[in-house]
Amino acid sequence: MKKQNSIKIAAYIGLAIVGCLLLTIILGWLFIKPWTAKKLNLAVNENPNLSYSISYTDYDMNLISRTASFKNLIFKPKSDTLNNGFSIIETQIEELDISGIGLFDLFRNKFTANAIHIKNPHITLKKGAAKTSDTLAKKPFEHLIAIDHLKLSGGTIQLRDSIGINSLVYLQNFNFDLHNLAVDSTSLKDKIPFRFENYQIHYDSLYAKINAFYTISTLKTSLDKDNLDVKNIHLKPLYSRTDFQKKINKETDLFEVKNSQLHLSKIKWTMNKEHLEFSASNLLLDSLDAVVYRNKAVADDTSIKPLFSKKLRDLNFYLALDTVNIKHSAIEYIEQIDFNTEASHITFDAFNAEITDLLSGIAAKEKKKKTKIKVHSKFMNNASLQVNWDFDVNNTSDQFTFSGSIHQLPTANLNTFLRPQINATTTGTLEQVFFNIYGNNKESKGDFKIKYHDFKIEFLRKNGQKKNKFLSAIGNLFVRKDTDNTFNEAEIEQLRNPEKSFFNYMWISLADGLKKTFLVTNSKQQSKDKD
């Protein structure tokens, strides 16, 4: 009898416990959900420290599973103010799911969660106008926020101009995963106001108007802690060559660049209080196709053109790329004297280059290594071109060496450049050309030698079609036809014009060697064995 009573008592106690749990769940559903919704409204929409408001069509919270879910979340600014030059016009989120919420942390002004998943967000930003203070923007995040896994999937991001109409940036199917995210009053003092460990970012396509003259677009892109992969990069001018000339008041190159693949490996980056630090083991540019156009009819740009070593030395951040590889690429330089004549063309095909120790000035002081560049290419369709170029970023006089060779160049291939430039064409073959130039930001010196045969120049009449027999006859009197299977040699010596680029500097140095070895009056021919 006593045993039966004990069983009944235990059953009643069990039923009471279950009943309490059910009552708690029901009360939680009836009261906790609206209470948390009210607290959320007070914390966000009626919080003077927040410049944004939120709304949603449905909200669900489960105390037992410690989860929350929002449907059709809309995030809008309370006024047309901006933070750091940008404002969020509107963010629409199809669904936001939170799991593993730290319930007790909420009572200690902390927010912790195992995971947050933001599904199909559409973020629209605007550029320009006034700024809100950084203090106001950071105020809501002074208490601890800790999330083990933050995930965003299927997003689009659009940046509009200050009017809010024209698109400046558009990112499609944007996805990222961020692990061990933490924000607190200490991290807010850093340039990156949050801490994290691993991350993965990928998107399908990017379009951006980077300035008044160019857009850039990419396709599949992925980034993680160690690697970056970008497919089908296209830097595209907004104007035709004719229209571009009308937009500029001094000589400016117009670029179009396509690159099928960019890969960065073993990336390391940090943001300290002084500067950004960025390093990588290897940068690969595969199938790069670059066209550089210059119109000489526009006024010269008389600004000082620093050499590459000074450009790197003056970078205000730490940059260290162990190796840069450019493969299967092509470069074309086009120069227009005026629109009444055809443009000059210089081409480099099957272009391959290796750059070692590409360093900024900050990194060069630490590593104390020279930057070295090796190039192998086809020049003007047929000729083999090799170049070795090195410089020390730390050297304030910008000392460098630039050496190389050209083999088996039919001079008729140069006519696409010579005809528009000097109204002349040539025949013959440059069998071998060797050059060794060393210099600094003031002057260059070096050695030049060449072997060629059957060279002949033909000057044209003004119409560019018929031969000018008189000028051609005079010209060929002063040019050696061939080197009789030996090398003509000369010493190079040139002063640099600081208003011109490094490549102009090398061109006038090589032209000095060509002039001295081709012209009868200047040539110092020396017989050399073929070795």
Side-chain angles (χ1 to χ4, degrees), residues 396-414:
T396 54
S397 64
D398 300 311
Q399 292 180 355
F400 65 88
T401 61
F402 189 86
S403 61
S405 62
I406 300 173
H407 297 269
Q408 299 302 318
L409 173 62
T411 62
N413 291 5
L414 296 171

Side-chain angles (χ1 to χ4, degrees), residues 9 131 138 172 202 228 240 249 291-292 381 395 458 529:
I9 292 169
K131 298 180 181 179
K138 294 178 179 180
Q172 192 169 17
H202 57 93
L228 168 67
S240 67
N249 55 17
V291 178
V292 184
N381 301 323
N395 189 287
E458 193 172 273
D529 294 333

Side-chain angles (χ1 to χ4, degrees), residues 45-65:
N45 295 336
E46 298 181 22
N47 186 346
N49 292 324
L50 274 179
S51 53
Y52 299 97
S53 65
I54 64 170
S55 63
Y56 46 86
T57 60
D58 190 23
Y59 161 63
D60 186 33
M61 183 173 185
N62 190 314
L63 294 178
I64 295 176
S65 62

Side-chain angles (χ1 to χ4, degrees), residues 225-241:
K225 189 176 180 181
D226 298 313
N227 300 286
L228 168 67
D229 275 293
V230 188
K231 305 290 186 185
N232 296 96
I233 303 170
H234 188 186
L235 178 69
K236 184 179 180 181
L238 285 166
Y239 299 101
S240 67
R241 293 169 184 174

Side-chain angles (χ1 to χ4, degrees), residues 104-122:
F104 292 106
D105 287 333
L106 293 174
F107 297 100
R108 296 183 294 172
N109 290 323
K110 297 178 181 180
F111 178 81
T112 61
N114 291 340
I116 294 179
H117 187 181
I118 304 169
K119 299 178 181 179
N120 302 324
H122 302 284

